Amino acid sequence: MSQPNSEVSVGNTVFSNDKPFSLIAGPCQMESRAHAMEMAQAVKEIAEELNIGLVFKASYDKANRTSLSASRGMGMAKGLEVFAEIKETYGLPVITDVHEPNHCAPVSEVCDVLQIPAYLCRQTDLLVAAAKTGRALNVKKGQFLAPWDMKNVMTKVVESGNSNVMLCERGATFGYNTLVSDMRALPIMADMGAPVVFDATHSVQQPGGLGGTSGGQREFVATLARAAAAVGIAGLFVETHDDPDNTTSSDGPNMIPLNRLKDLLLWLQDFDRIAKNGSFTL
């Protein structure tokens, strides 16, 4: 069996379990061209100041909203136009979710990384189609899966001819409307050979917790991100917004206020340096 690459490069951004963490960050949903451009510029300035590799994230379609009437985003055609403009204007690699196999090819023409949503991580046709684009993949671990089950998911991608796959932890279902993050998942998935990303904001999500929308406990993002950085990760995934309490995006309660992002990352870099400076095992 072919093996995943232990290091995934996306432009000048490198994801490796043994190197300083890189960042996947941006708003949950692409709300408008103007907002996406503003967020891309702001996040880029923070990442450059802290010397952190960055892939800008936004979703042109949130296909798994709790309510049928909830806002889903700009749609693929308009969204890809904005991603192309962000790449040209700011020189940033970009990542977005894909939900159907026939979305993979057109999205890959613009986006540098395709993200497989947690709910869809076992969908073989989607994984194969995404793998065959040749783009790097960030596959989120399903809330319903044990970390060791991701080996089968990873194998589907690698055996489809793509070794540039990252595995992303985002919490596991724990009772109703609640997720829990098991930090053991990070080294377990790292042992599979692929870079591991920790999604700090979706890990505090409360799926469907507000009835018609998902809730979240933003106050615990820093706690979980600190724990993950201390374990050692290749990448940190955070959703951020300039006004997360007044947005139509699905993850407003989870998103980090943009004006706190720099301080959070600066703090996490200290834990990351300790984690990467040797190891201790029993």
Short mmCIF file of all heavy atoms in Angstrom, two decimals, residues 10 13 15 23-45 47 53-59 79 82-87 90-97 111-113 115 237-241 258 261:
data_model
loop_
_atom_site.label_atom_id
_atom_site.label_comp_id
_atom_site.label_asym_id
_atom_site.label_seq_id
_atom_site.Cartn_x
_atom_site.Cartn_y
_atom_site.Cartn_z
N VAL A 10 1.53 23.43 0.61
CA VAL A 10 0.50 24.16 -0.13
C VAL A 10 1.04 25.55 -0.39
O VAL A 10 1.03 26.41 0.50
CB VAL A 10 -0.83 24.23 0.68
CG1 VAL A 10 -1.91 24.88 -0.16
CG2 VAL A 10 -1.26 22.85 1.15
N THR A 13 3.21 27.26 2.33
CA THR A 13 2.76 26.79 3.63
C THR A 13 2.99 25.29 3.75
O THR A 13 2.61 24.53 2.85
CB THR A 13 1.27 27.12 3.84
OG1 THR A 13 1.10 28.54 3.81
CG2 THR A 13 0.76 26.58 5.16
N PHE A 15 2.64 21.77 6.10
CA PHE A 15 2.01 21.08 7.22
C PHE A 15 2.81 19.82 7.52
O PHE A 15 2.93 18.93 6.68
CB PHE A 15 0.57 20.70 6.88
CG PHE A 15 -0.36 21.86 6.72
CD1 PHE A 15 -0.51 22.50 5.49
CD2 PHE A 15 -1.09 22.34 7.80
CE1 PHE A 15 -1.37 23.58 5.34
CE2 PHE A 15 -1.95 23.43 7.67
CZ PHE A 15 -2.08 24.05 6.43
N LEU A 23 -1.51 27.36 9.75
CA LEU A 23 -2.85 27.82 10.10
C LEU A 23 -3.80 27.70 8.92
O LEU A 23 -3.47 28.07 7.79
CB LEU A 23 -2.77 29.28 10.55
CG LEU A 23 -4.05 29.98 10.97
CD1 LEU A 23 -4.63 29.35 12.22
CD2 LEU A 23 -3.78 31.48 11.19
N ILE A 24 -4.98 27.17 9.20
CA ILE A 24 -6.11 27.25 8.28
C ILE A 24 -7.14 28.13 8.96
O ILE A 24 -7.63 27.80 10.05
CB ILE A 24 -6.71 25.85 7.99
CG1 ILE A 24 -5.68 24.94 7.31
CG2 ILE A 24 -7.96 25.98 7.12
CD1 ILE A 24 -6.14 23.51 7.15
N ALA A 25 -7.44 29.29 8.39
CA ALA A 25 -8.29 30.24 9.09
C ALA A 25 -9.08 31.10 8.12
O ALA A 25 -8.65 31.38 7.00
CB ALA A 25 -7.45 31.14 10.00
N GLY A 26 -10.25 31.52 8.60
CA GLY A 26 -11.13 32.38 7.84
C GLY A 26 -12.53 32.26 8.39
O GLY A 26 -12.77 31.52 9.35
N PRO A 27 -13.48 32.94 7.80
CA PRO A 27 -14.85 32.87 8.30
C PRO A 27 -15.50 31.53 7.93
O PRO A 27 -15.08 30.87 6.99
CB PRO A 27 -15.55 34.03 7.58
CG PRO A 27 -14.78 34.18 6.31
CD PRO A 27 -13.35 33.86 6.66
N CYS A 28 -16.50 31.17 8.70
CA CYS A 28 -17.23 29.93 8.41
C CYS A 28 -17.79 29.96 7.00
O CYS A 28 -17.57 29.04 6.22
CB CYS A 28 -18.37 29.78 9.43
SG CYS A 28 -19.59 28.52 9.00
N GLN A 29 -18.48 31.01 6.68
CA GLN A 29 -19.24 31.10 5.44
C GLN A 29 -18.77 32.30 4.63
O GLN A 29 -18.43 33.34 5.19
CB GLN A 29 -20.73 31.25 5.79
CG GLN A 29 -21.68 31.17 4.62
CD GLN A 29 -23.11 31.16 5.13
OE1 GLN A 29 -23.52 30.27 5.88
NE2 GLN A 29 -23.89 32.15 4.76
N MET A 30 -18.73 32.15 3.32
CA MET A 30 -18.43 33.28 2.46
C MET A 30 -19.70 34.11 2.34
O MET A 30 -20.61 33.77 1.60
CB MET A 30 -17.94 32.80 1.09
CG MET A 30 -17.40 33.91 0.22
SD MET A 30 -16.72 33.31 -1.34
CE MET A 30 -15.14 32.68 -0.81
N GLU A 31 -19.75 35.20 3.08
CA GLU A 31 -20.97 35.99 3.18
C GLU A 31 -21.12 36.97 2.02
O GLU A 31 -22.22 37.25 1.57
CB GLU A 31 -20.97 36.74 4.51
CG GLU A 31 -20.94 35.80 5.72
CD GLU A 31 -20.77 36.54 7.02
OE1 GLU A 31 -20.91 37.79 7.05
OE2 GLU A 31 -20.50 35.88 8.04
N SER A 32 -20.00 37.51 1.57
CA SER A 32 -19.99 38.45 0.46
C SER A 32 -18.57 38.57 -0.05
O SER A 32 -17.62 38.21 0.67
CB SER A 32 -20.51 39.83 0.88
OG SER A 32 -19.59 40.45 1.75
N ARG A 33 -18.41 39.10 -1.24
CA ARG A 33 -17.07 39.32 -1.77
C ARG A 33 -16.30 40.28 -0.87
O ARG A 33 -15.15 40.02 -0.50
CB ARG A 33 -17.15 39.89 -3.19
CG ARG A 33 -15.78 40.31 -3.74
CD ARG A 33 -15.89 41.24 -4.94
NE ARG A 33 -14.59 41.85 -5.22
CZ ARG A 33 -14.12 42.94 -4.58
NH1 ARG A 33 -14.85 43.52 -3.64
NH2 ARG A 33 -12.94 43.43 -4.89
N ALA A 34 -16.93 41.39 -0.51
CA ALA A 34 -16.23 42.41 0.27
C ALA A 34 -15.77 41.85 1.61
O ALA A 34 -14.63 42.08 2.03
CB ALA A 34 -17.13 43.62 0.48
N HIS A 35 -16.63 41.10 2.28
CA HIS A 35 -16.27 40.56 3.59
C HIS A 35 -15.16 39.54 3.47
O HIS A 35 -14.21 39.53 4.28
CB HIS A 35 -17.49 39.93 4.26
CG HIS A 35 -17.24 39.47 5.66
ND1 HIS A 35 -17.04 38.14 5.98
CD2 HIS A 35 -17.10 40.16 6.82
CE1 HIS A 35 -16.81 38.04 7.28
NE2 HIS A 35 -16.85 39.24 7.81
N ALA A 36 -15.23 38.67 2.46
CA ALA A 36 -14.18 37.65 2.28
C ALA A 36 -12.84 38.31 2.01
O ALA A 36 -11.80 37.89 2.55
CB ALA A 36 -14.56 36.71 1.15
N MET A 37 -12.83 39.35 1.19
CA MET A 37 -11.57 40.03 0.89
C MET A 37 -11.01 40.71 2.14
O MET A 37 -9.79 40.64 2.40
CB MET A 37 -11.81 41.08 -0.21
CG MET A 37 -12.22 40.51 -1.56
SD MET A 37 -10.93 39.53 -2.37
CE MET A 37 -9.77 40.81 -2.84
N GLU A 38 -11.86 41.34 2.91
CA GLU A 38 -11.40 42.00 4.14
C GLU A 38 -10.83 40.99 5.13
O GLU A 38 -9.79 41.23 5.76
CB GLU A 38 -12.57 42.75 4.78
CG GLU A 38 -13.01 43.98 3.99
CD GLU A 38 -14.30 44.56 4.53
OE1 GLU A 38 -14.81 44.05 5.56
OE2 GLU A 38 -14.83 45.52 3.91
N MET A 39 -11.51 39.85 5.26
CA MET A 39 -11.04 38.83 6.20
C MET A 39 -9.72 38.23 5.73
O MET A 39 -8.82 37.98 6.54
CB MET A 39 -12.10 37.75 6.35
CG MET A 39 -13.36 38.20 7.09
SD MET A 39 -13.04 38.71 8.80
CE MET A 39 -12.43 37.17 9.48
N ALA A 40 -9.59 37.98 4.44
CA ALA A 40 -8.35 37.41 3.91
C ALA A 40 -7.18 38.34 4.17
O ALA A 40 -6.09 37.90 4.59
CB ALA A 40 -8.50 37.14 2.41
N GLN A 41 -7.37 39.64 3.94
CA GLN A 41 -6.30 40.60 4.18
C GLN A 41 -5.93 40.64 5.65
O GLN A 41 -4.73 40.63 6.01
CB GLN A 41 -6.72 41.99 3.72
CG GLN A 41 -5.64 43.05 3.93
CD GLN A 41 -6.07 44.42 3.44
OE1 GLN A 41 -7.25 44.67 3.18
NE2 GLN A 41 -5.12 45.32 3.31
N ALA A 42 -6.93 40.64 6.52
CA ALA A 42 -6.67 40.75 7.96
C ALA A 42 -5.95 39.52 8.50
O ALA A 42 -4.99 39.63 9.27
CB ALA A 42 -7.99 40.96 8.70
N VAL A 43 -6.41 38.34 8.10
CA VAL A 43 -5.79 37.11 8.59
C VAL A 43 -4.37 36.98 8.04
O VAL A 43 -3.45 36.54 8.73
CB VAL A 43 -6.65 35.89 8.22
CG1 VAL A 43 -5.96 34.60 8.64
CG2 VAL A 43 -8.01 35.98 8.90
N LYS A 44 -4.18 37.39 6.78
CA LYS A 44 -2.84 37.34 6.20
C LYS A 44 -1.87 38.23 6.99
O LYS A 44 -0.73 37.82 7.27
CB LYS A 44 -2.87 37.79 4.74
CG LYS A 44 -1.48 37.81 4.09
CD LYS A 44 -1.50 38.35 2.68
CE LYS A 44 -0.09 38.38 2.10
NZ LYS A 44 -0.05 38.92 0.72
N GLU A 45 -2.30 39.43 7.35
CA GLU A 45 -1.42 40.34 8.08
C GLU A 45 -1.01 39.74 9.43
O GLU A 45 0.15 39.85 9.85
CB GLU A 45 -2.13 41.68 8.27
CG GLU A 45 -2.27 42.47 6.99
CD GLU A 45 -3.09 43.74 7.15
OE1 GLU A 45 -3.62 43.96 8.27
OE2 GLU A 45 -3.22 44.50 6.18
N ALA A 47 -0.93 36.45 10.23
CA ALA A 47 -0.06 35.30 10.00
C ALA A 47 1.35 35.73 9.61
O ALA A 47 2.34 35.14 10.07
CB ALA A 47 -0.67 34.40 8.93
N GLY A 53 2.58 29.93 8.57
CA GLY A 53 2.04 29.60 7.26
C GLY A 53 0.53 29.60 7.30
O GLY A 53 -0.09 29.17 8.28
N LEU A 54 -0.11 30.08 6.23
CA LEU A 54 -1.56 30.28 6.22
C LEU A 54 -2.20 29.74 4.96
O LEU A 54 -1.70 29.93 3.85
CB LEU A 54 -1.87 31.78 6.33
CG LEU A 54 -3.34 32.19 6.15
CD1 LEU A 54 -4.21 31.67 7.29
CD2 LEU A 54 -3.44 33.72 6.06
N VAL A 55 -3.33 29.07 5.14
CA VAL A 55 -4.26 28.75 4.05
C VAL A 55 -5.59 29.40 4.44
O VAL A 55 -6.12 29.15 5.53
CB VAL A 55 -4.44 27.23 3.86
CG1 VAL A 55 -5.46 26.96 2.76
CG2 VAL A 55 -3.11 26.57 3.53
N PHE A 56 -6.11 30.26 3.57
CA PHE A 56 -7.35 30.97 3.88
C PHE A 56 -8.56 30.08 3.62
O PHE A 56 -8.67 29.44 2.60
CB PHE A 56 -7.47 32.24 3.05
CG PHE A 56 -8.74 33.01 3.31
CD1 PHE A 56 -8.88 33.75 4.48
CD2 PHE A 56 -9.79 32.97 2.42
CE1 PHE A 56 -10.05 34.45 4.74
CE2 PHE A 56 -10.96 33.67 2.66
CZ PHE A 56 -11.10 34.41 3.83
N LYS A 57 -9.48 30.08 4.58
CA LYS A 57 -10.65 29.20 4.53
C LYS A 57 -11.95 29.99 4.50
O LYS A 57 -12.12 30.97 5.23
CB LYS A 57 -10.64 28.27 5.75
CG LYS A 57 -11.80 27.28 5.81
CD LYS A 57 -13.00 27.79 6.55
CE LYS A 57 -14.20 26.85 6.31
NZ LYS A 57 -15.45 27.41 6.87
N ALA A 58 -12.86 29.55 3.67
CA ALA A 58 -14.26 30.00 3.71
C ALA A 58 -15.07 28.95 2.96
O ALA A 58 -14.53 28.19 2.14
CB ALA A 58 -14.43 31.38 3.07
N SER A 59 -16.36 28.90 3.23
CA SER A 59 -17.23 27.93 2.57
C SER A 59 -18.21 28.67 1.66
O SER A 59 -18.94 29.54 2.14
CB SER A 59 -18.01 27.10 3.59
OG SER A 59 -17.14 26.33 4.39
N GLY A 79 -18.59 31.93 -5.45
CA GLY A 79 -17.56 31.68 -4.45
C GLY A 79 -16.20 31.46 -5.07
O GLY A 79 -15.19 31.98 -4.57
N VAL A 82 -14.54 34.63 -6.09
CA VAL A 82 -13.94 35.36 -4.96
C VAL A 82 -12.64 34.70 -4.52
O VAL A 82 -11.64 35.38 -4.25
CB VAL A 82 -14.93 35.45 -3.79
CG1 VAL A 82 -14.27 36.12 -2.58
CG2 VAL A 82 -16.19 36.21 -4.20
N PHE A 83 -12.61 33.38 -4.47
CA PHE A 83 -11.38 32.68 -4.12
C PHE A 83 -10.26 33.03 -5.11
O PHE A 83 -9.12 33.25 -4.71
CB PHE A 83 -11.60 31.17 -4.11
CG PHE A 83 -12.19 30.64 -2.83
CD1 PHE A 83 -13.33 29.87 -2.85
CD2 PHE A 83 -11.59 30.90 -1.60
CE1 PHE A 83 -13.88 29.37 -1.68
CE2 PHE A 83 -12.12 30.40 -0.42
CZ PHE A 83 -13.28 29.64 -0.46
N ALA A 84 -10.59 33.06 -6.38
CA ALA A 84 -9.59 33.40 -7.39
C ALA A 84 -9.06 34.82 -7.16
O ALA A 84 -7.85 35.08 -7.31
CB ALA A 84 -10.18 33.27 -8.79
N GLU A 85 -9.93 35.73 -6.78
CA GLU A 85 -9.51 37.11 -6.53
C GLU A 85 -8.63 37.20 -5.28
O GLU A 85 -7.65 37.95 -5.25
CB GLU A 85 -10.73 38.01 -6.39
CG GLU A 85 -10.39 39.49 -6.31
CD GLU A 85 -11.60 40.39 -6.33
OE1 GLU A 85 -12.75 39.88 -6.41
OE2 GLU A 85 -11.40 41.62 -6.23
N ILE A 86 -8.98 36.43 -4.26
CA ILE A 86 -8.16 36.41 -3.04
C ILE A 86 -6.75 35.90 -3.36
O ILE A 86 -5.75 36.46 -2.90
CB ILE A 86 -8.84 35.54 -1.97
CG1 ILE A 86 -10.07 36.26 -1.42
CG2 ILE A 86 -7.87 35.19 -0.85
CD1 ILE A 86 -10.94 35.42 -0.52
N LYS A 87 -6.67 34.84 -4.14
CA LYS A 87 -5.36 34.29 -4.50
C LYS A 87 -4.53 35.31 -5.27
O LYS A 87 -3.33 35.48 -5.02
CB LYS A 87 -5.55 33.01 -5.33
CG LYS A 87 -6.13 31.85 -4.56
CD LYS A 87 -6.30 30.62 -5.43
CE LYS A 87 -4.98 30.09 -5.91
NZ LYS A 87 -5.12 28.79 -6.61
N TYR A 90 -3.89 38.63 -2.77
CA TYR A 90 -3.11 38.46 -1.55
C TYR A 90 -2.08 37.34 -1.62
O TYR A 90 -1.30 37.16 -0.69
CB TYR A 90 -4.05 38.23 -0.37
CG TYR A 90 -5.03 39.35 -0.17
CD1 TYR A 90 -6.40 39.13 -0.29
CD2 TYR A 90 -4.60 40.64 0.13
CE1 TYR A 90 -7.31 40.17 -0.11
CE2 TYR A 90 -5.49 41.68 0.30
CZ TYR A 90 -6.85 41.44 0.17
OH TYR A 90 -7.74 42.47 0.34
N GLY A 91 -2.07 36.58 -2.69
CA GLY A 91 -1.09 35.51 -2.84
C GLY A 91 -1.28 34.38 -1.85
O GLY A 91 -0.31 33.70 -1.49
N LEU A 92 -2.51 34.18 -1.41
CA LEU A 92 -2.79 33.15 -0.40
C LEU A 92 -3.32 31.87 -1.05
O LEU A 92 -4.16 31.93 -1.95
CB LEU A 92 -3.85 33.65 0.59
CG LEU A 92 -3.43 34.72 1.60
CD1 LEU A 92 -4.66 35.16 2.40
CD2 LEU A 92 -2.36 34.19 2.52
N PRO A 93 -2.87 30.71 -0.57
CA PRO A 93 -3.57 29.47 -0.93
C PRO A 93 -4.92 29.45 -0.23
O PRO A 93 -5.09 30.06 0.84
CB PRO A 93 -2.64 28.36 -0.43
CG PRO A 93 -1.84 29.01 0.65
CD PRO A 93 -1.72 30.46 0.30
N VAL A 94 -5.89 28.76 -0.81
CA VAL A 94 -7.25 28.76 -0.26
C VAL A 94 -7.79 27.34 -0.16
O VAL A 94 -7.39 26.44 -0.90
CB VAL A 94 -8.20 29.64 -1.10
CG1 VAL A 94 -7.76 31.09 -1.07
CG2 VAL A 94 -8.28 29.14 -2.54
N ILE A 95 -8.72 27.16 0.77
CA ILE A 95 -9.35 25.87 1.02
C ILE A 95 -10.85 26.07 1.17
O ILE A 95 -11.29 27.09 1.70
CB ILE A 95 -8.77 25.21 2.29
CG1 ILE A 95 -9.43 23.86 2.59
CG2 ILE A 95 -8.89 26.12 3.49
CD1 ILE A 95 -8.79 23.11 3.76
N THR A 96 -11.61 25.10 0.68
CA THR A 96 -13.06 25.13 0.87
C THR A 96 -13.60 23.71 0.90
O THR A 96 -12.93 22.76 0.48
CB THR A 96 -13.76 25.96 -0.22
OG1 THR A 96 -15.09 26.29 0.20
CG2 THR A 96 -13.83 25.19 -1.54
N ASP A 97 -14.85 23.58 1.40
CA ASP A 97 -15.50 22.27 1.48
C ASP A 97 -16.05 21.85 0.12
O ASP A 97 -16.51 22.69 -0.66
CB ASP A 97 -16.68 22.31 2.45
CG ASP A 97 -16.36 22.99 3.76
OD1 ASP A 97 -16.52 24.22 3.84
OD2 ASP A 97 -15.96 22.29 4.69
N CYS A 111 -9.13 26.22 -6.05
CA CYS A 111 -8.71 26.04 -4.65
C CYS A 111 -7.52 25.10 -4.54
O CYS A 111 -7.42 24.10 -5.25
CB CYS A 111 -9.88 25.52 -3.82
SG CYS A 111 -11.24 26.71 -3.71
N ASP A 112 -6.64 25.40 -3.60
CA ASP A 112 -5.41 24.65 -3.42
C ASP A 112 -5.59 23.42 -2.56
O ASP A 112 -4.82 22.46 -2.65
CB ASP A 112 -4.35 25.56 -2.79
CG ASP A 112 -4.13 26.81 -3.60
OD1 ASP A 112 -3.32 26.78 -4.54
OD2 ASP A 112 -4.78 27.83 -3.31
N VAL A 113 -6.59 23.46 -1.68
CA VAL A 113 -6.90 22.34 -0.80
C VAL A 113 -8.40 22.10 -0.83
O VAL A 113 -9.18 23.06 -0.75
CB VAL A 113 -6.46 22.61 0.66
CG1 VAL A 113 -6.63 21.34 1.50
CG2 VAL A 113 -5.02 23.09 0.72
N GLN A 115 -11.50 20.32 1.13
CA GLN A 115 -11.82 19.83 2.47
C GLN A 115 -13.03 18.91 2.41
O GLN A 115 -14.06 19.26 1.85
CB GLN A 115 -12.09 21.00 3.42
CG GLN A 115 -12.39 20.57 4.84
CD GLN A 115 -12.24 21.73 5.80
OE1 GLN A 115 -11.12 22.07 6.20
NE2 GLN A 115 -13.34 22.36 6.16
N PHE A 237 -6.79 24.67 12.78
CA PHE A 237 -7.93 25.16 12.00
C PHE A 237 -8.79 26.00 12.94
O PHE A 237 -9.23 25.53 13.98
CB PHE A 237 -8.73 23.96 11.47
CG PHE A 237 -9.96 24.33 10.67
CD1 PHE A 237 -9.99 24.12 9.30
CD2 PHE A 237 -11.10 24.82 11.28
CE1 PHE A 237 -11.12 24.42 8.55
CE2 PHE A 237 -12.23 25.14 10.55
CZ PHE A 237 -12.25 24.94 9.18
N VAL A 238 -8.99 27.26 12.59
CA VAL A 238 -9.88 28.11 13.38
C VAL A 238 -10.73 28.96 12.44
O VAL A 238 -10.24 29.46 11.42
CB VAL A 238 -9.11 29.04 14.34
CG1 VAL A 238 -8.43 28.26 15.44
CG2 VAL A 238 -8.12 29.92 13.61
N GLU A 239 -11.98 29.06 12.78
CA GLU A 239 -12.84 30.00 12.07
C GLU A 239 -12.87 31.30 12.85
O GLU A 239 -12.95 31.30 14.09
CB GLU A 239 -14.24 29.42 11.89
CG GLU A 239 -14.24 28.28 10.89
CD GLU A 239 -15.61 27.73 10.59
OE1 GLU A 239 -16.52 27.84 11.44
OE2 GLU A 239 -15.77 27.15 9.49
N THR A 240 -12.77 32.41 12.13
CA THR A 240 -12.69 33.72 12.77
C THR A 240 -13.56 34.71 12.00
O THR A 240 -13.80 34.55 10.80
CB THR A 240 -11.22 34.19 12.85
OG1 THR A 240 -11.16 35.42 13.56
CG2 THR A 240 -10.61 34.36 11.47
N HIS A 241 -14.01 35.73 12.70
CA HIS A 241 -14.96 36.68 12.11
C HIS A 241 -14.82 38.01 12.85
O HIS A 241 -14.53 38.03 14.05
CB HIS A 241 -16.39 36.14 12.27
CG HIS A 241 -17.42 36.81 11.41
ND1 HIS A 241 -17.95 38.04 11.73
CD2 HIS A 241 -18.03 36.41 10.27
CE1 HIS A 241 -18.84 38.38 10.80
NE2 HIS A 241 -18.91 37.42 9.90
N LEU A 258 -12.06 38.30 15.44
CA LEU A 258 -10.83 38.60 14.71
C LEU A 258 -9.84 39.38 15.56
O LEU A 258 -8.62 39.15 15.47
CB LEU A 258 -11.17 39.39 13.44
CG LEU A 258 -10.01 39.78 12.53
CD1 LEU A 258 -9.30 38.54 11.98
CD2 LEU A 258 -10.51 40.67 11.39
N LEU A 261 -7.58 37.01 17.55
CA LEU A 261 -6.87 35.92 16.86
C LEU A 261 -5.36 36.02 17.05
O LEU A 261 -4.70 35.01 17.34
CB LEU A 261 -7.21 35.93 15.37
CG LEU A 261 -6.52 34.86 14.51
CD1 LEU A 261 -6.91 33.45 14.98
CD2 LEU A 261 -6.86 35.05 13.03
#
